[in-house]
Amino acid sequence: MNRRRCVNAAITVVCALTVLASPALTLGASAAPLPPGAPAAPAAPAAPKKTLEEVRKEIEGLYRQAAAATDAYNLAEEQTKEQSAEIVRLAQMIVAGNEKIDSLKAQAGAAARAQYRNGGLPDGAQFVLTDDPQLFLDNAGRFKEGQKATKDLIAEMTRTQAQLTVYAKDAGTNWTKLEANRVKQATAKKDINDKIAAAKKLESTLAAEELERLRRLEEQEQYRQQTAWVNTGVLKGLNTTATPQGKRAVEFATAQIGKPYIWGAEGPDSYDCSGLTQRAWGTAGRNIPRTSQEQWRLLPKVDIKDMRPGDLIVYFKDASHIGMYVGNGAIVHAPRPGRDVTLAGAGSMEILGVVRPE
């Protein structure tokens, strides 16, 4: 690192000397040299240094953007899984349909060969051509049954061919969607990594003491928001009892405290915010959508005054974060990269609303 700094410094000095040694240029004429003793031109003012609070807000904004991109990635991944499974299902149906077509063709071939052996007459038709009235009536019925069977066979082949055409078309449509979602995943993944890298780069410019102050500023802001939320009286009269299913979800979520946030993670060793809530409720026997935005969109909404432990609180206008309410004004959640699953004040972030998986 010292060697690199020396090289960079040397390059800077060489460039500076080159600039100083070169004649100043304008759009059409050379600038006259400064007379001896004349004061040098004032240096451009340095950009004002950001305050630690401004840095905190910028880092928070970058991680918020990364969270939104994580939701986009998780949704694309979920849709990719669904479409892959659908393509497999359609492929199996196409195979089964082709086998059925082969079987029907074999039946039709057997009927055609029998007709050829009977001199071009369908099987059983020769028995109709008899002088015995009773035998004629008996075999006429069988002949009609044979004709119906042939028509049914042709109709079944036609239906099966039509189904195969639909299956093939659906498979093609799902393949197109699959490829589009893979592109969305790749784009979202790049966006996530870019935002996290930018936040970490900003954090890396801070000294250890500043990083500690930054963490305290984060905690102070969360405490300020939580205090303001509690002071509204929102906790008065709240139901403090979880249902048996909700209790299992809360027990699972709180047991994950201390595990790291990793975007896209669904456990068991790490989680992102919606991966934690999905796994907790899955353990309690209720399958819910994968992303915080889909959990907000698809799960039943409840008023905050009716909230109870196990409910999910969705945060920010874009529903990019989610946590589980555990009672006493607290949530358990996976905050962001660089943080672990933890308890926090339920009102320490901007609340969008509450949903109930039950």
Side-chain angles (χ1 to χ4, degrees):
M1 182 61 73
N2 288 335
R3 183 180 178 185
R4 182 179 297 174
R5 287 176 180 168
C6 291
V7 171
N8 290 338
I11 292 171
T12 302
V13 170
V14 169
C15 291
L17 290 174
T18 303
V19 170
L20 290 172
S22 301
L25 298 178
T26 63
L27 294 178
S30 297
L34 290 172
K49 188 177 179 181
K50 294 177 181 176
T51 67
L52 205 55
E53 175 61 14
E54 289 172 333
V55 171
R56 182 193 69 79
K57 288 181 177 178
E58 187 173 346
I59 289 173
E60 183 181 281
L62 287 166
Y63 280 125
R64 283 269 315 279
Q65 292 171 48
T70 298
D71 243 25
Y73 177 90
N74 289 337
L75 180 59
E77 183 181 45
E78 197 76 0
Q79 291 173 339
T80 296
K81 288 177 183 176
E82 291 171 2
Q83 282 144 9
S84 295
E86 182 64 10
I87 288 170
V88 169
R89 187 184 72 83
L90 289 167
Q92 291 170 340
M93 293 175 73
I94 288 170
V95 169
N98 281 322
E99 290 175 349
K100 186 175 182 181
I101 287 287
D102 290 341
S103 174
L104 292 170
K105 284 180 178 177
Q107 292 178 45
R113 287 192 295 275
Q115 186 173 335
Y116 175 78
R117 287 195 300 271
N118 293 330
L121 290 174
D123 192 23
Q126 70 274 22
F127 295 110
V128 178
L129 305 176
T130 176
D131 294 333
D132 186 333
Q134 186 58 48
L135 185 61
F136 173 84
L137 291 173
D138 291 343
N139 286 295
R142 293 191 189 121
F143 179 58
K144 286 182 180 179
E145 289 175 1
Q147 283 184 314
K148 183 179 183 303
T150 300
K151 287 180 181 178
D152 290 347
L153 181 64
I154 293 170
E156 185 65 18
M157 286 181 67
T158 302
R159 280 195 300 272
T160 304
Q161 288 282 15
Q163 286 174 344
L164 287 174
T165 301
V166 172
Y167 296 157
K169 183 179 178 182
D170 288 348
T173 300
N174 277 280
W175 183 263
T176 301
K177 290 179 180 177
L178 180 66
E179 291 304 304
N181 277 310
R182 283 175 176 159
V183 171
K184 288 180 185 176
Q185 273 183 279
T187 302
K189 184 175 182 178
K190 182 180 184 306
D191 197 19
I192 294 164
N193 288 329
D194 286 349
K195 294 296 185 291
I196 292 175
K200 287 182 175 178
K201 183 178 179 181
L202 196 53
E203 289 175 326
S204 71
T205 64
L206 302 175
E209 182 185 344
E210 290 176 313
L211 284 172
E212 182 56 33
R213 284 175 55 208
L214 181 68
R215 182 182 284 272
R216 287 201 300 269
L217 280 175
E218 289 178 3
E219 291 172 351
Q220 288 167 10
E221 177 59 21
Q222 290 167 4
Y223 178 78
R224 184 192 67 76
Q225 292 190 54
Q226 173 72 359
T227 302
W229 183 68
V230 171
N231 286 343
T232 64
V234 66
L235 299 181
K236 292 178 181 176
L238 270 187
N239 190 344
T240 59
T241 306
T243 64
Q245 201 173 19
K247 185 178 179 182
R248 289 197 297 274
V250 168
E251 287 172 348
F252 179 90
T254 52
Q256 310 314 305
I257 290 174
K259 293 183 178 180
Y261 176 106
I262 300 291
W263 69 263
E266 304 172 2
D269 300 320
S270 57
Y271 297 89
D272 63 20
C273 66
S274 56
L276 175 64
T277 54
Q278 184 195 44
R279 180 57 64 91
W281 271 103
T283 303
R286 174 79 167 91
N287 292 324
I288 65 175
R290 172 63 180 88
T291 72
S292 59
Q293 291 173 345
E294 289 296 280
Q295 289 172 16
W296 168 246
R297 187 173 71 88
L298 297 174
L299 295 177
K301 295 176 176 59
V302 298
D303 197 289
I304 288 181
K305 65 182 178 60
D306 298 321
M307 185 169 60
R308 67 190 182 205
D311 289 346
L312 306 179
I313 304 181
V314 185
Y315 294 94
F316 309 116
K317 290 182 175 63
D318 59 358
S320 57
H321 191 68
I322 195 164
M324 180 179 292
Y325 185 64
V326 295
N328 297 320
I331 59 165
V332 61
H333 72 142
R336 65 165 177 83
R339 299 287 188 264
D340 297 332
V341 176
T342 187
L343 283 172
S348 60
M349 296 169 283
E350 176 193 349
I351 294 176
L352 177 61
V354 182
V355 292
R356 178 168 292 161
E358 294 178 276

